[in-house]
């Protein structure tokens, strides 16, 4: 691509899988004057926001919040639940399951990885076999990434819980919901999740900087026996505070935004939010399937029952660089796409379709990506956007 990058005008089409677009009403809510975090007026906002997070998690159990990204909530889950040498089983889903496992190893925990093809997902028969073979119950927990942002693939948590129950294994079920919560169905209590990890910057449509964990009674019992060092992230310390979270200053501005985020989600209705994400996700997939003609880009995920409704990873044809497509989209059309992570660097680009997003935004993104494919000289079947339009028109008619 030899064209000179343009000076961007208009709002950028932000199609990264996180952080996500922040609605204007949330931006305005976050722009709140400083207030004492123990002020009764703020405590009312705080309590309402935490209650809203519980409704989105579909839990009536404990919730702890942290100043930090989702990685902070990962760490909080590990140090609050386990002791040195404890064994964790990590179903391989992609870059983020690998990263969570590496973090656990950094704390002196033993990580057993249930290997999987990143394009197809784990075999649940193999999961049941691994649990059944652990007759001494050395495995203390399964760390499962509900939606793997790097690969655009879902790990069905109901089936993970069913595997545990089928063999009567007492291991805790930890779920990373960072890129699924508020975008796809998640039911912490009904699905038997012991610890749910979430973050502010994806389905909740907030700035990056706050994360949280929902913790079951079983999780709290494990916490009582945990001996890994912890201080700022210590749930016991947090329970002594009025906020039951945050050792130190509470990020008050984010709570005004969180209150508005919950209002927006519940105004639309969670079921409608999930339906919108499913609709937009399918429109993207229809477009990519069309592009795959002429030996073009393909869907990275090869298991249709595990397609993600919050992000689609697009696999490049051999000999073509995903970064060239990303550069063309950004420099020429002001569209920001996600790149390949870890071993997928340069091999995939990712289209995020979660958070504050609608049909025109998706269609504009897809049209720009198709133009970027042409500029970057990537073979594809033109007309993918038309396939998306036809699907969305059919969906709008109730078809």
């Amino acid at each position: 691509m030899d064209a000179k990058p343009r000076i961007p005008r208009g709002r950028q089409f932000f199609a990264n899988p996180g952080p996500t677009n922040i609605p204007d009403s949330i931006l305005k809510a976050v722009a709140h004057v400083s207030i004492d975090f123990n002020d009764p007026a703020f405590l009312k906002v705080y309590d309402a926001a935490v209650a809203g997070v519980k409704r989105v998690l579909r839990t009536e159990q404990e919730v702890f919040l942290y100043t930090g990204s989702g990685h902070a909530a990962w760490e909080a889950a590990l140090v609050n639940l386990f002791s040195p040498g404890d064994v964790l089983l990590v179903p391989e889903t992609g870059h983020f399951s690998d990263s969570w496992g590496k973090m656990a190893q950094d704390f002196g925990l033993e990580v057993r990885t249930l290997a999987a093809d990143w394009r197809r997902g784990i075999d649940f028969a193999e999961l049941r076999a691994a649990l059944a073979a652990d007759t001494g119950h050395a495995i203390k927990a399964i760390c499962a990434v509900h939606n793997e942002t790097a690969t655009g693939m879902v790990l069905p948590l109901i089936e993970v819980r069913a595997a545990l129950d089928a063999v009567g294994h007492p291991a805790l079920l930890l779920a990373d919901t960072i890129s699924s919560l508020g975008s796809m169905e998640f039911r912490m209590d009904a699905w038997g999740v012991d610890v749910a990890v979430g973050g502010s910057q994806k389905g909740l449509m907030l700035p990056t900087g706050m994360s949280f964990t929902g913790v079951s009674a079983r999780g709290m019992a494990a916490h009582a026996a945990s001996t890994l060092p912890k201080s700022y992230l210590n749930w016991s310390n947090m329970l002594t505070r009025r906020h039951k979270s945050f050792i130190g200053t509470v990020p008050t501005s984010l709570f005004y935004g969180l209150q508005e985020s919950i209002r927006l989600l519940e105004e639309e209705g969670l079921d409608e939010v999930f339906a919108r994400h499913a609709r937009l996700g399918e429109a993207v997939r229809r477009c990519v399937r069309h592009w795959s003609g002429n030996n073009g880009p393909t869907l990275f995920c090869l298991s249709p029952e595990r397609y993600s409704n919050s992000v689609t990873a697009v696999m490049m044809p051999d000999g073509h660089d995903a970064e060239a497509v990303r550069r063309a989209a950004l420099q020429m059309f002001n569209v920001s796409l996600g790149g390949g992570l870890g071993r997928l660097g340069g091999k995939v680009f990712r289209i995020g379709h979660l958070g504050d997003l609608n049909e025109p935004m998706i269609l504009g993104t897809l049209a720009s990506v198709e133009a970027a494919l042409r500029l970057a000289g990537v073979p594809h079947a033109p007309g993918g956007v038309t396939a998306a339009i036809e699907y969305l028109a059919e969906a709008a008619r109730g078809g």
Side-chain angles (χ1 to χ4, degrees), residues 90-269:
V90 178
E92 186 176 16
T93 56
H95 176 76
F96 286 100
S97 68
D98 284 0
S99 298
W100 201 4
K102 176 60 169 60
M103 179 186 282
Q105 291 173 330
D106 289 343
F107 284 109
L109 301 171
E110 180 185 334
V111 174
R112 299 178 186 175
T113 300
L114 183 69
D117 180 337
W118 281 22
R119 301 193 70 180
R120 297 185 183 279
I122 68 165
D123 183 328
F124 278 96
E126 292 181 2
L127 175 60
R128 289 190 295 273
L131 293 170
D134 182 34
T135 56
H137 296 160
I139 297 170
K140 301 303 180 186
I142 295 178
C143 295
V145 176
H146 184 207
N147 184 76
E148 175 59 64
T149 322
T151 61
M153 188 180 300
V154 169
L155 175 62
L157 295 174
I158 292 177
E159 294 188 43
V160 179
R161 168 48 65 189
L164 284 163
D165 294 345
V167 299
H169 201 292
L172 298 172
L173 174 54
L174 280 57
D176 172 341
T177 73
I178 293 170
S179 62
S180 60
L181 192 70
S183 304
M184 292 177 275
E185 185 174 23
F186 176 77
R187 296 179 178 272
M188 178 178 164
D189 292 355
W191 292 357
V193 174
D194 293 296
V195 175
V197 174
S200 60
Q201 76 276 19
K202 295 190 187 274
L204 292 180
M205 306 171 288
L206 290 162
T208 306
M210 187 164 64
S211 56
F212 49 89
T213 46
V215 186
S216 72
R218 292 182 73 229
M220 292 306 297
H223 167 65
S226 166
T227 62
L228 277 175
K230 45 194 164 285
S231 180
Y232 177 72
L233 298 173
N234 191 325
W235 295 339
S236 292
N237 293 345
M238 292 179 175
L239 286 172
T240 67
R241 291 169 58 83
R242 162 61 177 79
H243 305 83
K244 294 188 177 182
S245 289
F246 301 107
I247 303 301
T249 304
V250 177
T252 54
S253 294
L254 286 177
F255 279 90
Y256 290 96
L258 179 55
Q259 184 180 47
E260 174 63 8
S261 165
I262 300 298
R263 188 193 71 79
L264 290 173
L265 289 172
E266 295 185 334
E267 177 184 65
E268 185 176 358

Side-chain angles (χ1 to χ4, degrees), residues 341-369:
L341 299 175
R343 70 178 76 164
L344 299 182
K347 298 179 180 180
V348 307
F349 64 86
R350 296 174 299 144
I351 301 173
H353 35 83
L354 72 163
D356 187 40
L357 207 64
N358 61 19
E359 285 82 352
M361 296 161 79
I362 281 292
L363 291 173
T365 294
L366 294 175
S368 299
V369 173

